[in-house]
Amino acid sequence: MGNLVATDLTCEYRRNPLGVGVRRRRLSWRLEAGRQGVLQRAYRLAVAAEDGDFDRPVWDSGRVESGESVLVEYGGPELASRTKYVWRVKVWDDAGEESPWSEPAVFETTLLDRSEWQARWIAPAASAIDPQTDAAFLLRKAFRVKDGVKEARIYATAAGVCELYVNGRRVSDEELSPGWTSYQYRLQYQTYDVTELLRAGANAVGVHLGDGWYRSGLAFDKRNFKYGDRRAALVQLHIRYEDGSEEMVASDASWRAATGPVTYSTIYDGETYDRLERDGWSVAGYADDDWAPAETIDLPMETLVPQENWPVRVTETIRPIASLVTPAGDKVLDMGQNMVGRIRFTLEAPAGTTIVLRHAEVLDKDGNIYFGNLRTAKQTVVYTARGEGRETYAPHFTFMGFRYVKVEGWPGDELPLDAFVGEVMHSDMPLTGEFSCSDERVNQLQRNIRWGQRGNFLDVPTDCPQRDERLGWTGDAQVFIATALYNFNGGPFFTKWLRDLKAEQRPDGGVPFVVPDVIGDANSSGWGDAAVICPWTVYRYYGDRRLLAEQYDSMKAWVEYIRAQGDNEYLWNTGFHFGDWVALDAEDGSYVGATPRPLIATAYYAYSSRLLSEAARVLGKTEDAAKYGELHARVVQAFRNEFITGDGRMTAQTQTAHVLALAFDLAGDAAPRISRDLNEMIIRNGYHLTTGFLGTPYLCLVLSDYGYHDTAVRLLLQEGYPGWLYSISKGATTIWEHWDGIKPDGTFWSDDMNSFNHYAYGAVGEWMYRRVAGLDMDGAVPGFKRIRIEPLFGSGLLSRAKTSYRSMYGRIETAWQTDGNRMHVQAIIPANTTARVVLRGATVAGLNIDGRPVGAGGPYPEGIQSIAAAEHGVEVEIGSGEYRFAYEAANLFRTK
Ligand code: BGC
C-alpha cells in the first residue's frame, strides 16, 4: 500500500500541449502501483487557472466512480481562448487505496474563436517581386517590446511551407510547417511559445517561405497539381505583460519582403541555394529599406484549424558509412540506411564553388547509382558556396528518400565522411512498439518496417517518399494501419488524415484514391475502404470514440456508395478497382493480381459493412447497427453464392481469394476446407506467397488462426524469392514495393514503379506482434484495457520472441522462449488492465508461475484471478503486474 500514483498525464494524446483547439479536451493518465492486479475504481480531476491554485479550481470533477483513465473528457465550464490551464488527477484503486494528487500538467487553449484572427494573409507586393518566382520569400517585421513580458505566443501558418524566426532564432524545431492537409478545406496553423526569444526594446520576426506541397506541382504523369500559385503567410504574435496588458504583432501590409538565397525549392525536385544571403534579416537592426513592401491578399480564414498531427521533426541524425567511387566514376556517399529527410553538409570552398547532391535509393547491379525509379523527381540539392570559411547547409523546404548520394563539385579528391550528416525527418510520433525474435533476419525485417513507417509517415501516410508521387494512397494506409499503430502512436496522425479524407469525400460517398486528393480519381475497393477501416482501427487501439463518432457519417457514406454500385445490391461487380495490386499472379505486363476484382470488391463490401455496424453499436446507433448488420449478412451470403462452390471451395484459385474469404469471415462452414486449400497451395508453391497489396496483410494471420501457424512462420522465414526475407538477403533496409524490386540476377523491376520504400508489405508486422509474440487486444474491449496474450510457437523454427507495446494504459510486454519442450512465457501488463493469457500446450498440473507450481484451485500468486484448462492448453486470467510461466509443452501445433 501507499504506492498508488497517477502519472504520465496527457491531453489529446500529448504531454503539456500548446495550442489545443478541441473544446472538450480529453485527458489521460496512467496508474502505477506497488502491487499486482490493480484496477482503477474512481478518479478525481481538477483543472485550475494558470496560477495552479487548486483551492479555487476552474473545474473539479469530484470523485467519479469509473475505471476510465484514457481520453476522459473535460467536463467543466467553457475555457478561455489562448489560456494556460493546470490540471491534476487522483485515483482510487479497487482495494480502496487513494493516490496522492498527481504532479500537475498543463494544456493551453489556442485561438478558440475565428474572430480573434487579426492577422492578414500577406505576400511580397506583386509589383515589386514576381509572385511566380521560384525563389523562397523572406518576410519581416520589426517591432518594440516593453519591459516585463510574461508570455508570448505566435500563431502562424502559410500557403506554402515556412520557417519562423524571432530575433534571428528559429522559433521551433518543427519542419515543413504547416504540414499537408486538404488545403481547400483545412489548413493547420501552429502555436509557438516565443517568450524566451523576445527582449525589451527592438525585436523582429521573420518568415522564410517556400512552395512546399502548396505550390510545388504534385503527382505523377506531369499532372503538376498546385493548390495555388502564390505563396503567402499568416502570422499573429501575442505578447502578454506582467501587468496584464497585451500587445499584438500581426502580418499586414506594413511587413517588408524580399527573396532570399534559396532560389528554388520543391517537394520532388529538391532545393537550390545561391549566395543571395541577407545576413541578419530576421533581427531588429537589419536595414530593410531596399526590401519590397508586403501586400495583403485574399486567402480563406474559414479553413484554419489548429495543428492536429504530431509535428514533423528531425528525429535522428546518421553518418554515412562509406564514400565510394562507382564504376562510372561517380563519388557517392552510402548512408547505410534507406532514409527520408535531408543531408546537412559542412564545407570550406572558394566562393562560387557549386556542389550538387543527387539522392537515390539503390545502386544497380554494376554498382552504379540508380536514379531510374525516381521517374521525374530530381531530389537534387544544388549549393553554391559563399567562400567565407566553413559553411553549413541543409535544404529547408524539401525532403528526399535515399540511401546513396552522388556528390559533384566537392573540393578535394575524396568525400570526407564527417562533412555529411543524414537528418531523418518524419512526423514525430512516440515510438510504442518493439519486436524481436531468435532470427536476426526477422529482426532486420522489423527494423525495415519501422524505417518504412518513419519515412512514409511524413505528415501524411504516403505510398513512397522518393519518386514523383509521395501521395496519401488510401489503400496503402488501410493495409498498413494495424501494424503502424503497434509501432508508433498514430492517434493524432490518423485523426488529421481522416478529417481530410472526410472533407474530400464525394457527395455520393466516394473516396478519392489519394488524400489529400491531388489526382481527382476516386473509388476502388480496398482503397476507399480506408474510410471505414482506419477510424475503426484507431478506435480499437486507443479507445478513441470521438474519432469514430466524427468519422461515422463518412464511414456510412462509403458503404452506401458501394451499395449503389453493383448490378445487384449485395455484390460489387462493377467499376474500376486496383485489385490485388502488384500481386505475383498478375498477367505479364499488368500490375493487377489474378484474384477477380468482383470477389475482392465484395469481400471488402462485407468487411466495411460489418465494421460500420460495429461502429454504430459502439456509438449507440442501434438502428444503424441492425441495418448494417443485416446488410453485412446479405453481402456475405451473396459472396458465398458467387465465389464459393457448393462443395465449399473458392471459385478463384488464388492465395488472395482464400485469404480474404477467411480474413473477413466470409466462408462460414467452408472455412476449414478453404484454409486447408490455402495451406496446400502455399506448400505446393514451395512456401512462397503470390499475394499483392490486399492479400499479403492477412496471409499469415489467417494461416495462424486456422491452425497453420507453422506454414505462416515458414513463409516468413522464406529467404528465396518471393518472400519477406528475399529483399533482406539483397541488403534491403526498408520494405520494397515489389517482391522483386531487385531480381535474383540483380536487374530491376521496370523504372516506372519500383519504390524501395513502400510500407504496404510491412503489414506482416501486425501478425508478428499479435501471433508470433502473442501481444493482442481483446476482441470486444478497445484500447488494450483488456489484453489477450497468446503466443504461437511453431515447430521450433523460432526459439524465442519478445515484444513490448506502450498502450495508453502503459507498457505491455510479452516474451517467450523454448528450451526443448520446456516453455517460458513472460507477461507484463499495466495497472488498470486485465489480460487473458493462453498458454498453448500447457496443463494446469504442469504449470509453474514465478517458479512455483500452481494447482487449479489456488491459492494463486498475487494478481492471478483464475487458471483453467482450455482447448489449446491453459488459460490464465491476470491483473496488472509481471508474471513468469513455465511448463512442459505438449501438442503445440494442434490445428483449429
Ligand atoms: C502507388 C501505390 C498505390 C497504387 C494504386 C501506386 O502508384 O505507389 O502504392 O496504392 O499506385 O494502385
PDB file of all heavy atoms in Angstrom, residues 220 375 463-464 467 469 473 476 527 578 581 693 737 753 758, ligand 1:
ATOM      1  N   PHE A 220       2.183  12.384 -60.291  1.00  0.00           N
ATOM      2  CA  PHE A 220       2.906  11.788 -61.417  1.00  0.00           C
ATOM      3  C   PHE A 220       2.283  12.201 -62.748  1.00  0.00           C
ATOM      4  O   PHE A 220       1.304  12.938 -62.781  1.00  0.00           O
ATOM      5  CB  PHE A 220       2.871  10.262 -61.259  1.00  0.00           C
ATOM      6  CG  PHE A 220       1.505   9.764 -60.850  1.00  0.00           C
ATOM      7  CD1 PHE A 220       0.576   9.398 -61.799  1.00  0.00           C
ATOM      8  CD2 PHE A 220       1.145   9.719 -59.495  1.00  0.00           C
ATOM      9  CE1 PHE A 220      -0.682   8.965 -61.422  1.00  0.00           C
ATOM     10  CE2 PHE A 220      -0.125   9.280 -59.116  1.00  0.00           C
ATOM     11  CZ  PHE A 220      -1.041   8.908 -60.074  1.00  0.00           C
ATOM     12  N   ARG A 375      11.603   8.347 -61.428  1.00  0.00           N
ATOM     13  CA  ARG A 375      10.797   8.921 -62.516  1.00  0.00           C
ATOM     14  C   ARG A 375      11.211  10.379 -62.696  1.00  0.00           C
ATOM     15  O   ARG A 375      12.396  10.654 -62.864  1.00  0.00           O
ATOM     16  CB  ARG A 375       9.312   8.734 -62.240  1.00  0.00           C
ATOM     17  CG  ARG A 375       8.985   7.229 -62.051  1.00  0.00           C
ATOM     18  CD  ARG A 375       7.528   6.888 -62.170  1.00  0.00           C
ATOM     19  NE  ARG A 375       6.652   7.607 -61.290  1.00  0.00           N
ATOM     20  CZ  ARG A 375       5.624   7.044 -60.649  1.00  0.00           C
ATOM     21  NH1 ARG A 375       5.366   5.748 -60.777  1.00  0.00           N
ATOM     22  NH2 ARG A 375       4.846   7.772 -59.881  1.00  0.00           N
ATOM     23  N   ASP A 463       2.583   6.570 -50.015  1.00  0.00           N
ATOM     24  CA  ASP A 463       2.982   5.303 -50.615  1.00  0.00           C
ATOM     25  C   ASP A 463       4.497   5.163 -50.611  1.00  0.00           C
ATOM     26  O   ASP A 463       5.035   4.090 -50.377  1.00  0.00           O
ATOM     27  CB  ASP A 463       2.433   5.183 -52.039  1.00  0.00           C
ATOM     28  CG  ASP A 463       2.855   6.335 -52.942  1.00  0.00           C
ATOM     29  OD1 ASP A 463       3.152   7.425 -52.418  1.00  0.00           O
ATOM     30  OD2 ASP A 463       2.882   6.155 -54.172  1.00  0.00           O
ATOM     31  N   CYS A 464       5.187   6.257 -50.906  1.00  0.00           N
ATOM     32  CA  CYS A 464       6.632   6.203 -51.057  1.00  0.00           C
ATOM     33  C   CYS A 464       7.182   7.607 -50.867  1.00  0.00           C
ATOM     34  O   CYS A 464       6.444   8.578 -50.987  1.00  0.00           O
ATOM     35  CB  CYS A 464       6.995   5.672 -52.447  1.00  0.00           C
ATOM     36  SG  CYS A 464       6.314   6.683 -53.794  1.00  0.00           S
ATOM     37  N   ARG A 467       9.890   9.026 -55.418  1.00  0.00           N
ATOM     38  CA  ARG A 467       9.570   9.365 -56.810  1.00  0.00           C
ATOM     39  C   ARG A 467       8.521  10.486 -56.865  1.00  0.00           C
ATOM     40  O   ARG A 467       8.090  10.986 -55.835  1.00  0.00           O
ATOM     41  CB  ARG A 467       9.105   8.118 -57.565  1.00  0.00           C
ATOM     42  CG  ARG A 467       7.772   7.588 -57.090  1.00  0.00           C
ATOM     43  CD  ARG A 467       7.430   6.295 -57.818  1.00  0.00           C
ATOM     44  NE  ARG A 467       6.180   5.751 -57.355  1.00  0.00           N
ATOM     45  CZ  ARG A 467       5.944   4.443 -57.246  1.00  0.00           C
ATOM     46  NH1 ARG A 467       6.882   3.559 -57.521  1.00  0.00           N
ATOM     47  NH2 ARG A 467       4.756   4.026 -56.839  1.00  0.00           N
ATOM     48  N   GLU A 469       5.608  11.074 -56.611  1.00  0.00           N
ATOM     49  CA  GLU A 469       4.337  10.550 -56.138  1.00  0.00           C
ATOM     50  C   GLU A 469       4.163  10.979 -54.676  1.00  0.00           C
ATOM     51  O   GLU A 469       3.548  11.977 -54.408  1.00  0.00           O
ATOM     52  CB  GLU A 469       4.302   9.027 -56.319  1.00  0.00           C
ATOM     53  CG  GLU A 469       2.910   8.484 -56.180  1.00  0.00           C
ATOM     54  CD  GLU A 469       2.634   7.261 -57.060  1.00  0.00           C
ATOM     55  OE1 GLU A 469       3.475   6.849 -57.851  1.00  0.00           O
ATOM     56  OE2 GLU A 469       1.532   6.717 -56.917  1.00  0.00           O
ATOM     57  N   TRP A 473      -1.964   7.567 -50.547  1.00  0.00           N
ATOM     58  CA  TRP A 473      -2.769   6.484 -51.124  1.00  0.00           C
ATOM     59  C   TRP A 473      -3.579   5.801 -50.022  1.00  0.00           C
ATOM     60  O   TRP A 473      -3.029   5.269 -49.063  1.00  0.00           O
ATOM     61  CB  TRP A 473      -1.881   5.463 -51.832  1.00  0.00           C
ATOM     62  CG  TRP A 473      -1.458   5.930 -53.191  1.00  0.00           C
ATOM     63  CD1 TRP A 473      -0.285   6.547 -53.513  1.00  0.00           C
ATOM     64  CD2 TRP A 473      -2.214   5.851 -54.406  1.00  0.00           C
ATOM     65  NE1 TRP A 473      -0.276   6.857 -54.852  1.00  0.00           N
ATOM     66  CE2 TRP A 473      -1.436   6.430 -55.432  1.00  0.00           C
ATOM     67  CE3 TRP A 473      -3.479   5.340 -54.724  1.00  0.00           C
ATOM     68  CZ2 TRP A 473      -1.878   6.524 -56.750  1.00  0.00           C
ATOM     69  CZ3 TRP A 473      -3.913   5.430 -56.045  1.00  0.00           C
ATOM     70  CH2 TRP A 473      -3.122   6.012 -57.041  1.00  0.00           C
ATOM     71  N   ASP A 476      -2.906   1.909 -49.375  1.00  0.00           N
ATOM     72  CA  ASP A 476      -1.669   1.626 -48.648  1.00  0.00           C
ATOM     73  C   ASP A 476      -1.860   1.893 -47.148  1.00  0.00           C
ATOM     74  O   ASP A 476      -1.432   1.112 -46.300  1.00  0.00           O
ATOM     75  CB  ASP A 476      -0.526   2.498 -49.183  1.00  0.00           C
ATOM     76  CG  ASP A 476      -0.341   2.364 -50.694  1.00  0.00           C
ATOM     77  OD1 ASP A 476      -1.346   2.341 -51.425  1.00  0.00           O
ATOM     78  OD2 ASP A 476       0.820   2.296 -51.145  1.00  0.00           O
ATOM     79  N   TRP A 527      -9.227   0.451 -51.404  1.00  0.00           N
ATOM     80  CA  TRP A 527      -8.645   1.783 -51.233  1.00  0.00           C
ATOM     81  C   TRP A 527      -9.649   2.661 -50.473  1.00  0.00           C
ATOM     82  O   TRP A 527      -9.379   3.108 -49.361  1.00  0.00           O
ATOM     83  CB  TRP A 527      -8.257   2.363 -52.600  1.00  0.00           C
ATOM     84  CG  TRP A 527      -6.854   1.993 -53.010  1.00  0.00           C
ATOM     85  CD1 TRP A 527      -5.791   2.858 -53.105  1.00  0.00           C
ATOM     86  CD2 TRP A 527      -6.342   0.698 -53.359  1.00  0.00           C
ATOM     87  NE1 TRP A 527      -4.657   2.164 -53.485  1.00  0.00           N
ATOM     88  CE2 TRP A 527      -4.967   0.849 -53.643  1.00  0.00           C
ATOM     89  CE3 TRP A 527      -6.895  -0.568 -53.441  1.00  0.00           C
ATOM     90  CZ2 TRP A 527      -4.144  -0.230 -54.008  1.00  0.00           C
ATOM     91  CZ3 TRP A 527      -6.082  -1.641 -53.809  1.00  0.00           C
ATOM     92  CH2 TRP A 527      -4.732  -1.464 -54.085  1.00  0.00           C
ATOM     93  N   PHE A 578      -8.249  -1.347 -58.216  1.00  0.00           N
ATOM     94  CA  PHE A 578      -6.823  -1.683 -58.343  1.00  0.00           C
ATOM     95  C   PHE A 578      -6.594  -3.177 -58.128  1.00  0.00           C
ATOM     96  O   PHE A 578      -5.565  -3.715 -58.524  1.00  0.00           O
ATOM     97  CB  PHE A 578      -5.986  -0.895 -57.337  1.00  0.00           C
ATOM     98  CG  PHE A 578      -5.914   0.561 -57.656  1.00  0.00           C
ATOM     99  CD1 PHE A 578      -6.553   1.495 -56.855  1.00  0.00           C
ATOM    100  CD2 PHE A 578      -5.212   1.005 -58.764  1.00  0.00           C
ATOM    101  CE1 PHE A 578      -6.491   2.842 -57.146  1.00  0.00           C
ATOM    102  CE2 PHE A 578      -5.142   2.359 -59.065  1.00  0.00           C
ATOM    103  CZ  PHE A 578      -5.787   3.284 -58.255  1.00  0.00           C
ATOM    104  N   TRP A 581      -3.240  -5.433 -55.997  1.00  0.00           N
ATOM    105  CA  TRP A 581      -2.188  -4.638 -56.649  1.00  0.00           C
ATOM    106  C   TRP A 581      -0.803  -5.280 -56.531  1.00  0.00           C
ATOM    107  O   TRP A 581      -0.419  -5.706 -55.459  1.00  0.00           O
ATOM    108  CB  TRP A 581      -2.209  -3.246 -56.007  1.00  0.00           C
ATOM    109  CG  TRP A 581      -1.364  -2.219 -56.676  1.00  0.00           C
ATOM    110  CD1 TRP A 581      -0.264  -1.615 -56.155  1.00  0.00           C
ATOM    111  CD2 TRP A 581      -1.577  -1.625 -57.955  1.00  0.00           C
ATOM    112  NE1 TRP A 581       0.240  -0.702 -57.031  1.00  0.00           N
ATOM    113  CE2 TRP A 581      -0.548  -0.688 -58.155  1.00  0.00           C
ATOM    114  CE3 TRP A 581      -2.527  -1.816 -58.968  1.00  0.00           C
ATOM    115  CZ2 TRP A 581      -0.435   0.069 -59.311  1.00  0.00           C
ATOM    116  CZ3 TRP A 581      -2.409  -1.050 -60.118  1.00  0.00           C
ATOM    117  CH2 TRP A 581      -1.378  -0.124 -60.279  1.00  0.00           C
ATOM    118  N   PHE A 693      -0.981  -6.330 -52.621  1.00  0.00           N
ATOM    119  CA  PHE A 693      -1.284  -5.393 -51.529  1.00  0.00           C
ATOM    120  C   PHE A 693      -2.424  -5.872 -50.629  1.00  0.00           C
ATOM    121  O   PHE A 693      -2.409  -5.636 -49.432  1.00  0.00           O
ATOM    122  CB  PHE A 693      -1.699  -4.036 -52.110  1.00  0.00           C
ATOM    123  CG  PHE A 693      -0.563  -3.098 -52.327  1.00  0.00           C
ATOM    124  CD1 PHE A 693       0.676  -3.552 -52.722  1.00  0.00           C
ATOM    125  CD2 PHE A 693      -0.741  -1.728 -52.133  1.00  0.00           C
ATOM    126  CE1 PHE A 693       1.720  -2.681 -52.928  1.00  0.00           C
ATOM    127  CE2 PHE A 693       0.301  -0.844 -52.333  1.00  0.00           C
ATOM    128  CZ  PHE A 693       1.534  -1.321 -52.738  1.00  0.00           C
ATOM    129  N   GLU A 737       8.374  -2.015 -52.730  1.00  0.00           N
ATOM    130  CA  GLU A 737       7.048  -2.021 -53.358  1.00  0.00           C
ATOM    131  C   GLU A 737       6.758  -3.370 -54.028  1.00  0.00           C
ATOM    132  O   GLU A 737       5.641  -3.865 -54.004  1.00  0.00           O
ATOM    133  CB  GLU A 737       7.011  -0.913 -54.422  1.00  0.00           C
ATOM    134  CG  GLU A 737       5.716  -0.817 -55.192  1.00  0.00           C
ATOM    135  CD  GLU A 737       5.693   0.383 -56.128  1.00  0.00           C
ATOM    136  OE1 GLU A 737       6.779   0.864 -56.506  1.00  0.00           O
ATOM    137  OE2 GLU A 737       4.587   0.838 -56.458  1.00  0.00           O
ATOM    138  N   MET A 753       7.701   1.865 -61.739  1.00  0.00           N
ATOM    139  CA  MET A 753       7.037   1.560 -60.467  1.00  0.00           C
ATOM    140  C   MET A 753       7.972   0.722 -59.645  1.00  0.00           C
ATOM    141  O   MET A 753       7.816  -0.484 -59.570  1.00  0.00           O
ATOM    142  CB  MET A 753       5.760   0.738 -60.722  1.00  0.00           C
ATOM    143  CG  MET A 753       4.640   1.493 -61.295  1.00  0.00           C
ATOM    144  SD  MET A 753       3.881   2.494 -60.041  1.00  0.00           S
ATOM    145  CE  MET A 753       2.504   1.484 -59.699  1.00  0.00           C
ATOM    146  N   HIS A 758       8.283   1.353 -49.584  1.00  0.00           N
ATOM    147  CA  HIS A 758       6.826   1.299 -49.705  1.00  0.00           C
ATOM    148  C   HIS A 758       6.348   0.442 -48.536  1.00  0.00           C
ATOM    149  O   HIS A 758       6.682  -0.724 -48.464  1.00  0.00           O
ATOM    150  CB  HIS A 758       6.506   0.567 -51.013  1.00  0.00           C
ATOM    151  CG  HIS A 758       5.640   1.315 -51.951  1.00  0.00           C
ATOM    152  ND1 HIS A 758       6.085   2.407 -52.649  1.00  0.00           N
ATOM    153  CD2 HIS A 758       4.351   1.120 -52.347  1.00  0.00           C
ATOM    154  CE1 HIS A 758       5.107   2.848 -53.443  1.00  0.00           C
ATOM    155  NE2 HIS A 758       4.025   2.093 -53.254  1.00  0.00           N
TER     156      HIS A 758
HETATM  157  C1  BGC B   1       1.232   3.662 -55.561  1.00  0.00           C
HETATM  158  C2  BGC B   1       0.601   2.575 -54.762  1.00  0.00           C
HETATM  159  C3  BGC B   1      -0.865   2.810 -54.866  1.00  0.00           C
HETATM  160  C4  BGC B   1      -1.164   2.495 -56.289  1.00  0.00           C
HETATM  161  C5  BGC B   1      -2.600   2.429 -56.646  1.00  0.00           C
HETATM  162  C6  BGC B   1       0.867   3.441 -56.986  1.00  0.00           C
HETATM  163  O1  BGC B   1       1.416   4.359 -57.842  1.00  0.00           O
HETATM  164  O2  BGC B   1       2.590   3.757 -55.373  1.00  0.00           O
HETATM  165  O3  BGC B   1       1.174   2.291 -53.602  1.00  0.00           O
HETATM  166  O4  BGC B   1      -1.670   2.213 -53.941  1.00  0.00           O
HETATM  167  O5  BGC B   1      -0.493   3.352 -57.170  1.00  0.00           O
HETATM  168  O6  BGC B   1      -2.770   1.269 -57.236  1.00  0.00           O
END
